[in-house]
Amino acid sequence: MIQVKVLVVGANGQIGKHLVTRIQNEENLEARAMIRDQNQAGDFEALGAEVAVVDLEDDIEAIAKAAEGTDAVVFTAGSGPHTGKDKTIMIDLDGAVKTIEAAKKANVQRFIMISSFDTSREAIQAAPEGFAPYVAAKHYADQWLLSTKLDYTIIHPGKLTNDAGTNQVTLAEKVERNEVPREDIAATIVASLNTPSTVGKRFQVVKGNTDIADAVKSI
Amino acid sequence: MIQVKVLVVGANGQIGKHLVTRIQNEENLEARAMIRDQNQAGDFEALGAEVAVVDLEDDIEAIAKAAEGTDAVVFTAGSGPHTGKDKTIMIDLDGAVKTIEAAKKANVQRFIMISSFDTSREAIQAAPEGFAPYVAAKHYADQWLLSTKLDYTIIHPGKLTNDAGTNQVTLAEKVERNEVPREDIAATIVASLNTPSTVGKRFQVVKGNTDIADAVKSI
């Protein structure tokens, strides 16, 4: 069976950990966990995943080296909406753009971006003051990806929770805002990696009643 | 004499005030000062300038309305490197991008961007931690402008001072980093407005020994 190697950027994050675990459980996929600190490596090595120690504030060259020899890059790093605003621009925007440029440099054509639920211009304007910088950062990161020739998929999750995954979602270009377990986002990423028709698509995902594999195929 | 009407975005800023004054002193130019607060209007009206009250955190439509009927837009608003990082992304990046989009919407083809001295990818990486978000914001604003079909000029000033202008500068694509009076940046903007060959150019400016009009013509 053909092995697809996936660089997970933000592997030590809450979605990232679920994602590496799930990738390692898929016969045709294998993960390379990109982490900031060698001390985080043990958990990923225990799963049989490769590890690349790179800080997202390093340069494109360092990230490109981590991407070399992989077949897909997933960007699921995030300062989150509640970190310092300097990290919002340096990680959520600049870190994402550097990862995109690194994928190009390393000739990795497939790119999956974990975005925010609504990153439209209108959403920036409508966001509460403290949240707007995060929405703006994700907006510009998405725009950068859209301007490339990469085989992108942009996933816009609803409000993330640590509830157990149900393996069922509601998924479409536009859905009603709702919660979604991080575990089901990880499953949606895996399904997207295994579903070539998701290339060039962007969609919102919240909890729902459709099996993730079917929901992703229908997009 | 043909009147060129110039929307000055950030008119109440330190460069902006010099700029409106100088524009009003040029026979062929007239200013429309875009300001956040009606209370700031008096000084500009005293100079004979028009006033448009718009907050840069308003939407593109509001900025486009301010740009309607003008012939050029100058973006010299700035949170500065020392404001909160949320303003860095909302003003220096998103405010700039909205102004660019507003110019397109209002069919204003000429756009002059006041950037930072070095907004290259390398400069983001090399910047001290507290300064990097500002450099990144200016980098992405410049990139956005470069991706448009507007008749742009991007001015990269050295370290800004409140010294009196000398009307002399050193100006080229790359110059050695040095100080430059804000007043001379205002003069450089006016010279650029009056020099069509600056369209499609970007240059650094610091204090020096060449008359600004000659320096701008030579670029």
Side-chain angles (χ1 to χ4, degrees):
Chain A
M1 184 160 245
I2 292 167
Q3 291 288 318
V4 175
K5 190 170 286 186
V6 183
L7 181 72
V8 178
V9 176
N12 204 48
Q14 294 189 82
I15 291 173
K17 284 174 181 170
H18 287 301
L19 179 58
V20 174
T21 304
R22 280 172 180 266
I23 286 174
Q24 292 305 104
N25 285 337
E26 293 283 307
E27 278 194 11
N28 65 319
L29 302 178
E30 45 187 354
R32 182 181 294 168
M34 192 173 115
I35 52 177
R36 192 168 39 192
D37 187 341
Q38 180 66 45
N39 292 330
Q40 303 164 339
D43 289 351
F44 300 105
E45 286 165 352
L47 292 166
E50 295 178 13
V51 160
V53 179
V54 178
D55 191 315
L56 258 179
E57 299 196 49
D58 292 345
D59 63 11
I60 292 169
E61 199 55 62
I63 305 170
K65 218 173 145 190
E68 263 169 32
T70 68
D71 308 288
V73 172
V74 177
F75 185 86
T76 184
S79 72
H82 303 299
T83 52
K85 293 304 181 290
D86 52 338
K87 291 300 174 197
T88 299
I89 192 162
M90 297 315 289
I91 300 299
D92 298 297
L93 172 52
D94 201 44
V97 167
K98 287 190 289 189
T99 303
I100 293 163
E101 293 303 304
K104 286 159 64 175
K105 198 160 204 154
N107 294 311
V108 183
Q109 187 59 23
R110 184 74 171 113
F111 198 103
I112 298 186
M113 172 74 89
I114 311 311
S115 182
S116 177
F117 184 70
D118 186 349
T119 59
S120 62
R121 158 60 49 201
E122 294 70 30
I124 302 175
Q125 295 302 133
E129 198 181 333
F131 192 58
Y134 177 71
V135 178
K138 299 299 280 184
H139 168 82
Y140 288 108
D142 291 351
Q143 291 297 317
W144 194 277
L145 179 56
L146 291 169
S147 77
T148 69
K149 293 188 170 71
L150 293 177
D151 293 336
Y152 70 83
T153 302
I154 302 179
I155 299 178
H156 298 280
K159 184 175 159 42
L160 296 164
T161 72
N162 288 326
D163 294 349
T166 64
N167 214 35
Q168 298 204 315
V169 292
T170 296
L171 186 159
E173 209 176 311
K174 284 272 161 206
V175 303
E176 207 175 323
R177 193 185 289 261
N178 205 338
E179 296 185 341
V180 64
R182 289 183 170 85
E183 207 175 341
D184 284 334
I185 295 301
T188 302
I189 297 167
V190 169
S192 298
L193 286 166
N194 286 331
T195 309
S197 61
T198 58
V199 168
K201 305 281 173 63
R202 50 192 307 182
F203 51 81
Q204 296 179 327
V205 198
V206 297
K207 65 184 178 183
N209 301 309
T210 308
D211 283 349
I212 286 174
D214 295 336
V216 164
K217 279 190 192 105
S218 71
I219 198 72
Chain B
M1 183 160 246
I2 292 169
Q3 290 290 316
V4 176
K5 189 169 286 184
V6 183
L7 181 72
V8 178
V9 176
N12 204 49
Q14 294 189 83
I15 291 174
K17 284 174 180 169
H18 286 301
L19 180 59
V20 174
T21 304
R22 280 173 180 266
I23 286 175
Q24 292 305 104
N25 285 338
E26 292 283 306
E27 279 194 9
N28 64 319
L29 303 179
E30 45 187 355
R32 182 180 295 167
M34 193 172 115
I35 53 178
R36 193 167 38 192
D37 187 342
Q38 180 65 44
N39 292 329
Q40 303 164 340
D43 289 351
F44 301 105
E45 286 165 352
L47 292 166
E50 295 179 13
V51 160
V53 179
V54 179
D55 191 315
L56 259 180
E57 299 196 51
D58 292 345
D59 62 12
I60 292 169
E61 199 55 63
I63 305 169
K65 220 174 144 189
E68 263 169 32
T70 66
D71 308 289
V73 172
V74 177
F75 185 87
T76 184
S79 73
H82 303 299
T83 51
K85 294 304 180 293
D86 51 338
K87 291 299 175 198
T88 300
I89 191 163
M90 297 316 289
I91 300 297
D92 298 296
L93 172 52
D94 200 43
V97 168
K98 286 191 289 190
T99 303
I100 293 163
E101 293 304 304
K104 286 160 63 175
K105 198 159 203 155
N107 294 312
V108 183
Q109 187 60 23
R110 183 76 170 112
F111 197 103
I112 298 187
M113 172 74 90
I114 311 311
S115 183
S116 179
F117 184 69
D118 186 350
T119 59
S120 63
R121 159 60 49 201
E122 294 70 29
I124 302 175
Q125 295 301 134
E129 196 180 334
F131 192 58
Y134 177 71
V135 179
K138 298 299 278 184
H139 168 81
Y140 288 107
D142 291 351
Q143 290 297 316
W144 194 277
L145 180 56
L146 291 169
S147 77
T148 69
K149 294 189 169 71
L150 293 177
D151 293 337
Y152 70 83
T153 302
I154 303 178
I155 299 178
H156 297 280
K159 184 174 159 41
L160 296 164
T161 73
N162 288 327
D163 294 349
T166 64
N167 213 37
Q168 299 205 312
V169 293
T170 296
L171 185 159
E173 209 176 311
K174 284 274 161 205
V175 303
E176 208 176 321
R177 193 186 289 262
N178 205 338
E179 295 185 342
V180 66
R182 289 183 170 85
E183 208 175 340
D184 284 334
I185 295 301
T188 303
I189 297 166
V190 168
S192 298
L193 285 165
N194 285 331
T195 309
S197 60
T198 57
V199 168
K201 305 280 172 62
R202 49 192 306 182
F203 52 80
Q204 296 179 327
V205 198
V206 296
K207 64 184 178 184
N209 301 309
T210 309
D211 282 350
I212 287 175
D214 295 336
V216 165
K217 278 190 192 105
S218 73
I219 198 70

